[in-house]
Amino acid sequence: MYTHEKQVRTQGKPLAETGKALVLIHGRGATATSILPLAQELGADDFTLFAPQATNNTWYPYSFMAPTDQNQPALDSALELIHETVQGILAQGIASRDIYLLGFSQGACLTSEYASRHAQRFGGLLIFTGGLIGQELNTGNYKGDFEGTPVLITTGDPDPHVPVSRVDETVKQLESMGAKVTRKVYPGRPHTIMDEELELAKKILGSKE
């Protein structure tokens, strides 16, 4: 088992110019460098980009549906790296409502888990094929109020890694904490991000709520 070195790729204009941040969390076997171009597809040119890098390109070793203990200490270390990234953005005078979190697959699981443990009014959560982590959900970990944060959560049906049932459990939990969730399940969709998902995400990134 391992803990994660603090590595975060940044891209775009400085926060002092943009006033808003997009944190992109890559999937298993991928890299910070490989997920950054997604911001261009989302038209996020006016965001400062932050992409944490997992040590060994994997945030935690087993399925997100495995007993949580099996994924430690890597899971807690991954969540701490995201927390440090967000805290660093807040420390530069950016409000939480101007911070957007995006993840794909393993990164989407981390996005939902991190946000639920630190719920506040984020700009938006973009959860591309993922859900809350653990064999059973430990609702005692989830704290705060999303205060209407817009959330997009998507998956394929079936998806090789993410059962729709866990997506639905995640939606229920996020909504109970005050999030405004858009849920999309695509029959037969491969484990990827489709154009329709990008269009829905653009609406959240471009909203002026």
Side-chain angles (χ1 to χ4, degrees):
M1 291 294 194
Y2 49 82
T3 55
H4 298 281
E5 296 172 29
K6 187 172 183 183
Q7 298 182 68
V8 182
R9 290 287 307 273
T10 58
Q11 195 169 292
K13 295 174 185 171
L15 273 174
E17 289 184 39
T18 64
K20 53 188 179 178
L22 176 59
V23 180
L24 302 101
I25 306 169
H26 67 76
R28 187 188 297 271
T31 63
T33 303
S34 70
I35 198 168
L36 280 166
L38 187 59
Q40 290 180 306
E41 295 184 58
L42 291 167
D45 302 335
D46 52 347
F47 287 76
T48 306
L49 308 179
F50 296 82
Q53 172 64 50
T55 298
N56 302 327
N57 300 343
T58 298
W59 291 111
Y60 46 84
Y62 299 105
S63 164
F64 83 114
M65 301 284 289
T68 304
D69 289 352
Q70 291 185 13
N71 279 316
Q72 298 295 14
L75 174 58
D76 280 351
S77 178
L79 291 167
E80 181 60 27
L81 178 52
I82 298 167
H83 187 57
E84 289 179 9
T85 303
V86 171
Q87 290 301 114
I89 296 164
L90 291 168
Q92 294 185 60
I94 304 301
S96 64
R97 66 183 300 120
D98 293 316
I99 299 174
Y100 296 72
L101 302 175
L102 176 159
F104 171 64
S105 192
Q106 196 181 51
C109 298
L110 277 177
T111 298
S112 58
E113 187 71 20
Y114 170 77
S116 297
R117 293 184 184 210
H118 302 272
Q120 54 201 295
R121 181 47 160 98
F122 290 107
L125 306 178
L126 305 173
I127 303 168
F128 294 116
T129 311
L132 289 164
I133 295 172
Q135 188 171 27
E136 305 289 335
L137 297 189
N138 182 356
T139 55
N141 285 334
Y142 310 139
K143 296 177 173 65
D145 185 340
F146 283 116
E147 300 175 29
T149 295
V151 177
L152 173 65
I153 184 168
T154 65
T155 195
D157 183 18
D159 181 86
H161 307 290
V162 181
V164 173
S165 59
R166 178 51 58 91
V167 170
D168 289 340
E169 285 181 276
T170 302
V171 170
K172 185 177 177 182
Q173 180 63 39
L174 295 173
E175 288 180 338
S176 77
M177 299 174 73
K180 291 167 62 176
V181 183
T182 300
R183 168 195 175 275
K184 291 290 181 180
V185 176
Y186 299 97
R189 189 210 66 183
H191 193 70
T192 186
I193 302 173
M194 299 196 311
D195 287 344
E196 182 182 327
E197 293 167 81
L198 295 174
E199 290 304 314
L200 291 167
K202 284 180 188 177
K203 291 178 182 175
I204 290 176
L205 291 174
S207 74
K208 296 291 185 273
E209 282 186 34

